[in-house]
Amino acid sequence: MRDPKVWRTEILAGLVVGLALIPEAISFSVIAGVDPAIGLFASFTMAVTISIVGGRRAMISAATGAVALVIAPMNREHGFGYLVATVILAGVFQIVLGTLGVAKLMRFVPRAVMVGFVNALAILIFLAQLPELTDVPWPVYPLFAAGLALLVFFPKVTAVIPAPLVAIVVLTAVTVAAGIAVPTVGDKGELPSALPLPGLPDVPFTLDTLTTIAPYALAMALVGLMESLMTAQLVDEITDTRSSKTRESVGQGIANIVTGFFGGMGGCAMIGQTMINVKVSGARTRLSTFLAGTFLMVLCVVFGPVVSDIPMAALVAVMVMVCFATFDWHSIAPKTLRRMPAGEITVMVLTVVCVVATENLAVGVVVGSVTAMVVFAKRVAHLAEVTSVIDPDGTTAVYRVTGELFFASANDLVGRFDYAGDPERIVIDLSATHVWDASSVAALDAVETKYAQRGKTVEITGLNEPSARLHGRLSGELTAGN
């Protein structure tokens, strides 16, 4: 951080993200059914807090649409006080889940799901911009095109100043100087004129209140963690660095608790603003995240009238470029699709479809991950092979099992033996396999039982140590009457 270039990059990135957060926070406030200031306060407190306690440097957390969709029914049915209480309890849940190691579950998210997640986010961000480009005055379109041109070509001139900041400043100056009447940030809602003050939620502190808010709080905690951890993993890949997902999970909880006590609507990591910060602006430290939240409040409270004049066309142009940069174009290239296994393509497409259809990242990730597991299980199940030989003296049949034995492959195991035709002694060699679960042990028991019914003996050999322990513990205990 001693390098002046790093300071300049982080400061300018924070300023760009702070500007981009304003219309987003206001829009999410509308979704949640609260005053625009509530979303702006949440973005301020989330960004500043997570910059200190979070586990992923340069990632932006603020008010988000995913969280807004979860808590909107609470605000609509029970009032704002219950919404704030829900945010605080969700933060507590996130701390508990983070401490219990929920972040480790990210290891089970396949790459195809990650690619689908990224592509779906890019599509959702793009679709969210379309209302700003429909049924609007015609000058919006040339302004939008000019913004895209600046974002594409200005970096070729210099990388000292972020292109998004240049686009926002230039288009704002043009519209104000020429008196062009187009939708502006101010049209989204009134900006706050003072900093938020801490306080307790206006709800009765009773068991009834807890049972009312708990389901919504748990849903918010899970959605927020999933979106945050997926975004953190994406930033890890972009920056080629590692981050503490456990610290990020706990940090998200702390940030939501702080946000709740300041009367905010809660939030989580934001993929769009994070991409602006990391990929477009080149930020890499916590300073950019801290300044994004700080600049957001300063811009609203001190420079509210100026910020209100920013044309939405400028911000839409920035977000469209973010979509383009976020989407994994290589994943849909014909060359890639020809080489990719059909199951992987199915998982990726299903993840995209579910996320876009439901506008819920959690649904898409869960459906994609479950589908990937089914595809994997089906593929691995066919790898279990059974070969047999008869000893020259004809007294022993030796069966050799290769591959992995688990619930999917073990189901076929019982039918692979010649119970009637084999000699009196049977050896089952498992040195080339691994016994993973109770289903496999039960299948081996069934094989032994079928041979025993014909007066034949079975010897199981070659079990590795973990398989032997599992087999010794469960064998003979998985059928009724034992």
Side-chain angles (χ1 to χ4, degrees):
M1 285 296 292
R2 294 180 180 179
D3 189 345
K5 291 182 179 179
V6 175
W7 278 90
R8 182 178 63 238
T9 298
E10 299 297 312
I11 292 171
L12 292 177
L15 179 57
V16 171
V17 174
L19 287 167
L21 279 173
I22 295 173
E24 293 281 302
I26 295 174
S27 299
F28 298 146
S29 299
V30 173
I31 293 174
V34 298
D35 188 83
I38 304 302
L40 292 165
F41 289 158
S43 295
F44 163 62
T45 53
M46 286 291 299
V48 169
T49 305
I50 206 68
S51 70
I52 300 170
V53 300
R56 173 64 259 177
R57 291 177 294 176
M59 191 167 76
I60 303 297
S61 291
T64 60
V67 169
L69 288 169
V70 172
I71 62 176
M74 175 59 67
N75 182 61
R76 186 170 57 248
E77 296 170 14
H78 299 281
F80 180 68
Y82 280 83
L83 180 148
V84 172
T86 301
V87 171
I88 295 173
L89 183 59
V92 174
F93 283 150
Q94 287 178 328
I95 292 175
V96 172
L97 291 170
T99 304
L100 292 175
V102 69
K104 295 178 181 178
L105 295 176
M106 288 301 298
R107 293 180 299 177
F108 297 98
V109 178
R111 183 185 180 279
V113 175
M114 273 295 297
V115 173
F117 165 81
V118 170
N119 290 347
L121 283 172
I123 294 170
L124 283 180
I125 295 170
F126 177 77
L127 293 177
Q129 311 312 309
L130 294 183
E132 305 296 339
L133 297 174
T134 54
D135 297 325
V136 292
W138 70 266
V140 167
Y141 301 109
L143 286 172
F144 171 68
L148 289 178
L150 283 170
L151 291 165
V152 172
F153 295 110
F154 187 80
K156 301 180 184 299
V157 178
T158 177
V160 174
I161 304 175
L165 181 59
V166 174
I168 291 170
V169 171
V170 169
L171 295 188
T172 302
V174 169
T175 54
V176 172
I180 302 174
V182 292
T184 63
V185 170
D187 296 330
K188 289 291 183 178
E190 186 177 350
L191 302 181
S193 57
L195 293 174
L197 297 174
L200 295 174
D202 184 17
V203 295
F205 293 91
T206 63
L207 183 60
D208 184 57
T209 299
L210 181 62
T211 56
T212 300
I213 67 174
Y216 293 93
L218 182 59
M220 174 184 162
L222 293 173
V223 169
L225 281 182
M226 186 170 294
E227 187 164 352
S228 298
L229 294 176
M230 294 287 282
T231 305
Q233 189 162 321
L234 177 61
V235 177
D236 287 355
E237 294 178 4
I238 292 173
T239 61
D240 196 24
T241 58
R242 297 186 65 182
S243 61
S244 171
K245 305 302 186 297
T246 297
R247 179 176 174 180
E248 183 61 37
S249 301
V250 174
Q252 288 290 328
I254 296 172
N256 272 306
I257 291 174
V258 172
T259 298
F261 281 121
F262 275 92
M265 56 180 275
C268 61
M270 299 188 76
I271 182 69
Q273 276 63 29
T274 297
M275 289 300 99
I276 293 176
N277 197 48
V278 175
K279 203 164 188 177
V280 179
S281 301
R284 292 293 183 270
T285 74
R286 297 178 185 275
L287 180 62
S288 58
T289 307
F290 178 84
L291 290 178
T294 304
F295 281 141
L296 170 65
M297 273 294 99
V298 172
L299 289 167
C300 291
V301 175
V302 181
F303 300 102
V306 176
V307 173
S308 295
D309 289 332
I310 296 175
M312 287 301 300
L315 297 174
V316 170
V318 171
M319 296 309 294
V320 168
M321 284 302 296
V322 169
C323 299
F324 186 84
T326 301
F327 196 92
D328 187 349
W329 297 100
H330 177 71
S331 67
I332 61 171
K335 183 178 179 180
T336 304
L337 294 177
R338 283 196 299 269
R339 295 181 177 181
M340 190 76 68
E344 300 278 314
I345 297 174
T346 301
V347 169
M348 180 182 71
V349 172
L350 192 59
T351 302
V352 171
V353 170
C354 288
V355 172
V356 174
T358 64
E359 296 186 354
N360 189 322
L361 300 172
V363 171
V365 171
V366 170
V367 171
S369 297
V370 171
T371 304
M373 291 176 187
V374 171
V375 171
F376 173 76
K378 185 177 180 181
R379 185 182 304 160
V380 175
H382 294 300
L383 298 179
E385 296 292 338
V386 179
T387 56
S388 65
V389 294
I390 304 295
D391 273 6
D393 58 7
T395 61
T396 304
V398 180
Y399 285 86
R400 181 176 175 82
V401 181
T402 59
E404 304 298 320
L405 282 183
F406 66 113
F407 63 90
S409 58
N411 288 333
D412 296 330
L413 185 67
V414 179
R416 307 292 288 275
F417 295 84
D418 185 4
Y419 301 102
D422 281 340
E424 294 184 357
R425 183 172 180 268
I426 294 89
V427 175
I428 302 177
D429 180 9
L430 299 180
S431 58
T433 188
H434 185 97
V435 179
W436 286 102
D437 57 11
S439 297
S440 303
V441 177
L444 292 171
D445 283 354
V447 172
E448 290 188 82
T449 300
K450 287 181 177 294
Y451 276 117
Q453 290 171 347
R454 293 168 172 79
K456 301 176 181 181
T457 60
V458 175
E459 179 186 358
I460 295 177
T461 65
L463 285 169
N464 58 36
E465 186 176 343
S467 299
R469 284 200 304 268
L470 181 65
H471 185 266
R473 186 170 67 249
L474 296 181
S475 182
E477 303 293 332
L478 299 173
T479 57
N482 290 318

